[in-house]
Amino acid sequence: MPLGDFIVNTLLESKGQTVSGEKLANRFKVTRTAVWKSVKSLQKEGYNITIEKRRGYRLNKLTKRPIEREIKRGLATERLGQKVHYFDTVDSTNNAAKELARTGALEGTVVVALTQTMGRGRHNRIWESPKGGVYMSVVLRPGLHPKDLTRLTLLSGLAVATALNSLYDIKVRLKWPNDLMLNSRKLGGILSEMEGEAQKVNFVIVGIGLNANTDIKVDIPTATVKKVIEKEVDLVLIIKEVLKYLERLYDEFLKNPTGFLKEYREISHTLRRDVEISLETEVIRGNAVDIDSDGALELRLPDGSYTKILSGDCRYLKSRV
Ligand code: BTN
């Protein structure tokens, strides 16, 4: 165990009591200077630790930053989040996760950042990423066919929605394919990207962006968890809960790739609405009647015929088609 982890754990166990530098040093078999240096860097990581001259150290508050030590504390997963790469700021957590995956990062490796300078949304849109949001990417190696990616993306949206709904007793719903909606406003989204060959996926990066304590500008009205529950939310807690549900649903998915769709349909925000889907070369309008076993959106067209769309940009229509 690294010295920093040991100090935080020991101070946490002593429940606000001061622990002497000597005790910490003896128990970890290092010098008191090493303890002091480690406490200084913990303070830089955002831990509120009081240094009392000649008495020792007292932990007043854990850091709010979603660093590896905090995400792993009491994390209810076996694989997802067992390795976390944290950045105060990064271009895009998806880019960093891709680099790690290319060089062999294990399934479940997570990249988290406090802010992103080049956060990306779907269709190459900018994803504004100020401090206070959740920006995380998870490396998965599902050994799937590339066409299964749509389902995996839907499943990731379901995991995030379920995590938030269980934490805050709210009703996050999913706009197909994977916008997270709260009170009909956009709360976040999923950007999944894969690398592999024509028949086989090497890895998938599931990128998750959430307006937790922040408000961002996108092309549709946005919601933030903070505004809805009327208090600042804990990013570490959200990330842990997302990883828990993502691992649960993902493990089920590997055994039964369509099982989760029932739950997905139940919290769909799109079904029964009149929608317009923009594809590369055409725009299709229709009524969203179902999500099929591939995760495709099934539309009833104005002429009464049906069509299925596996991926595209979805917009709700105000007037009937
Ligand atoms: C969308 O367009 O709705 C998807 C947004 C996904 C944003 C997240 S933030 C973490 C990860 N890194 C990125 O650059 N994008 C995703």
Side-chain angles (χ1 to χ4, degrees):
M1 184 193 292
L3 177 56
D5 292 7
F6 171 78
I7 294 174
V8 173
N9 289 346
T10 312
L11 295 184
L12 202 56
E13 275 162 25
S14 75
K15 298 197 170 70
Q17 299 295 314
T18 304
V19 181
S20 74
E22 192 179 359
K23 188 170 171 188
L24 289 165
N26 288 343
R27 282 181 57 188
F28 204 73
K29 298 192 175 54
V30 288
T31 62
R32 279 190 295 166
T33 311
V35 170
W36 180 82
K37 275 192 187 150
S38 184
V39 168
K40 286 308 246 185
S41 60
L42 289 169
Q43 286 176 327
K44 282 203 189 97
E45 287 178 338
Y47 289 89
N48 182 336
I49 299 175
T50 305
I51 305 179
E52 291 177 30
K53 252 202 173 149
R54 280 186 287 279
R55 290 204 58 220
Y57 305 97
R58 193 178 65 234
L59 176 69
N60 307 308
K61 226 170 185 321
L62 292 169
T63 181
K64 286 186 182 166
R65 279 178 230 177
I67 60 177
E68 180 170 45
R69 186 183 300 115
E70 293 310 316
I71 291 177
K72 287 178 69 175
R73 187 188 309 292
L75 179 64
T77 66
E78 276 176 13
R79 301 182 324 285
L80 271 53
Q82 294 304 324
K83 181 72 212 154
V84 178
H85 296 261
Y86 166 83
F87 297 89
D88 280 337
T89 183
V90 72
D91 57 351
S92 149
T93 56
N94 267 31
N95 291 354
K98 248 186 238 172
E99 277 310 310
L100 289 163
R102 283 183 194 134
T103 49
L106 291 180
E107 172 158 271
T109 299
V110 171
V111 178
V112 182
L114 218 51
T115 61
Q116 299 182 116
T117 53
M118 287 205 315
R120 276 179 289 120
R122 294 175 68 237
H123 307 287
N124 264 329
R125 294 190 187 113
I126 291 171
W127 187 261
E128 282 195 36
S129 311
K131 212 167 151 186
V134 168
Y135 313 108
M136 65 187 282
S137 301
V138 185
V139 177
L140 297 178
R141 299 186 181 275
L144 294 175
H145 191 278
K147 76 167 174 40
D148 296 320
L149 188 64
T150 299
R151 270 198 302 240
L152 190 54
T153 310
L154 299 192
L155 173 142
S156 306
L158 177 62
V160 180
T162 311
L164 293 171
N165 291 343
S166 82
L167 272 178
Y168 302 114
D169 198 19
I170 51 179
K171 284 207 169 62
V172 176
R173 296 171 69 195
L174 294 161
K175 174 165 175 253
W176 185 90
N178 47 19
D179 279 352
L180 294 139
M181 307 295 287
L182 186 53
N183 299 338
S184 288
R185 290 164 163 261
K186 180 153 172 161
L187 180 70
I190 313 282
L191 175 69
S192 44
E193 299 179 295
M194 54 146 265
E195 269 186 26
E197 291 112 53
Q199 299 297 318
K200 202 181 138 272
V201 171
N202 284 343
F203 62 79
V204 176
I205 306 298
V206 175
I208 299 163
L210 267 183
N211 303 334
N213 294 315
T214 45
D215 214 345
I216 55 148
K217 276 185 242 120
V218 292
D219 49 358
I220 59 172
T222 54
T224 81
V225 186
K226 179 182 170 182
K227 261 193 207 151
V228 172
I229 70 160
E230 295 176 347
K231 64 171 192 249
E232 185 114 341
V233 289
D234 180 346
L235 304 186
V236 174
L237 188 65
I238 293 180
I239 292 167
K240 288 195 320 199
E241 202 75 353
V242 166
L243 292 172
K244 176 172 107 186
Y245 282 101
L246 188 56
E247 181 168 291
R248 236 182 238 180
L249 284 166
Y250 178 61
D251 283 348
E252 281 167 23
F253 169 80
L254 295 176
K255 289 183 228 138
N256 171 12
T258 57
F260 76 95
L261 284 163
K262 182 174 174 286
E263 250 180 277
Y264 181 93
R265 288 186 198 102
E266 278 166 12
I267 62 164
S268 167
H269 190 258
T270 304
L271 289 179
R272 292 172 291 281
R273 285 179 195 268
D274 288 323
V275 300
E276 178 182 272
I277 313 287
S278 304
L279 306 175
E280 298 240 314
T281 52
E282 59 175 327
V283 172
I284 301 182
R285 292 198 169 136
N287 184 264
V289 291
D290 197 11
I291 289 148
D292 81 353
S293 57
D294 289 327
L297 187 67
E298 191 176 355
L299 297 185
R300 190 179 53 244
L301 305 180
D303 67 2
S305 66
Y306 290 82
T307 190
K308 288 180 177 181
I309 297 161
L310 203 51
S311 94
D313 203 15
C314 172
R315 193 170 75 81
Y316 295 157
L317 295 173
K318 289 206 178 75
S319 54
R320 297 204 65 85
V321 288

